[in-house]
Amino acid sequence: MISMERFGSTWWGRLWTRALEELSDDFENRLPRGKKYAEEGAVSHFQVRPGQIEARVHGRKTYTVTLALPALSEQQWQRALELLAKESRFVASLLAGEMPEGLDETFREAGASLYPRVPKELQTHCDCPDLANPCKHVAAVCYVMAEALDRDPWLLFDLRGKTKNEVHLALQAAVDSAAIEPSKRRGRPKKNDLPLEEKLAKAEQRLKDTQKYANEQRRKTLEAQKKLQELG
């Protein structure tokens, strides 16, 4: 098993390493080969983007490593976010920038996961001559990803196709939608339920309006300070 002292010190980082180990015996047995590279800082140019992790690993030579994990479909994201929005503890934690335990179980209920679940889902590539999968360079990048997730769990969302801001907007839209439910129960005229895409657009516009107002107030404050300096 992978040591949790540095790589996977959080529950979400541990789930990453555990998911990799459970992909196959090869992964569980070969991952430790890359630990030394990761500990010695041999991994550079580490980058996470939707569906892909890229990095370079430096040894006797420098090798380019790619881990491909497909982004979730819009349907999977929509279903997962709808389920998350029904749990107030998930909404509160995620809007606060925290990662609540039990999160991936909800994704699994939606027929998805933030983590790789089957070997064919995670495609690895390294331009070294070692044909083993994972080679020690791929393994090193796996360790570095665990360490990166410990610092920033939102990288997992980036990898699966949604940014932190997009998730926040979706959840905020769900909260806004739920806020009109009491008025419905009191017999007020019902409003048509909007598709998730329209809710997201409205939430994003409110966020932009708030930012615009804040920028305008900041500009006025700076102008006032400048005039006071001139008068002084």
Side-chain angles (χ1 to χ4, degrees), residues 104-200:
D104 200 55
E105 282 81 351
T106 301
F107 272 83
R108 288 174 181 258
E109 287 180 33
S113 175
L114 290 171
Y115 300 89
R117 293 188 294 176
V118 293
K120 66 179 182 180
E121 190 177 19
L122 181 66
Q123 299 295 316
T124 67
H125 178 267
C126 178
D127 54 7
C128 76
D130 190 350
L131 298 179
N133 182 34
C135 67
K136 56 188 176 184
H137 311 105
V138 167
V141 176
C142 290
Y143 273 103
V144 171
M145 179 61 175
E147 186 178 39
L149 286 175
D150 288 336
R151 296 192 303 268
D152 182 7
W154 291 98
L155 287 175
L156 198 56
F157 287 77
D158 291 336
L159 179 62
R160 286 303 218 172
K162 289 288 183 186
T163 65
K164 177 180 180 180
N165 190 53
E166 288 172 329
V167 172
H168 279 187
L169 286 172
L171 293 176
Q172 188 62 58
V175 171
D176 292 344
S177 177
I180 68 173
E181 289 301 318
S183 66
K184 288 183 178 181
R185 289 194 293 270
R186 289 194 295 268
R188 295 182 182 179
K190 292 184 178 182
K191 297 182 180 180
N192 292 329
D193 287 334
L194 295 174
L196 181 59
E197 291 78 6
E198 290 188 38
K199 294 178 184 178
L200 288 174

Side-chain angles (χ1 to χ4, degrees), residues 39-85:
E39 288 178 332
E40 293 179 349
V43 179
S44 70
H45 297 78
F46 179 82
Q47 194 172 34
V48 178
R49 61 183 66 185
Q52 192 162 284
I53 301 169
E54 299 174 350
R56 294 178 186 172
V57 182
H58 308 277
R60 294 181 179 177
K61 294 183 178 180
T62 296
Y63 299 104
T64 300
V65 172
T66 301
L67 306 182
L69 185 63
L72 301 181
S73 69
E74 281 303 314
Q75 291 78 9
Q76 288 174 317
W77 270 113
Q78 182 170 336
R79 177 60 178 154
L81 290 171
E82 286 173 350
L83 291 176
L84 289 175

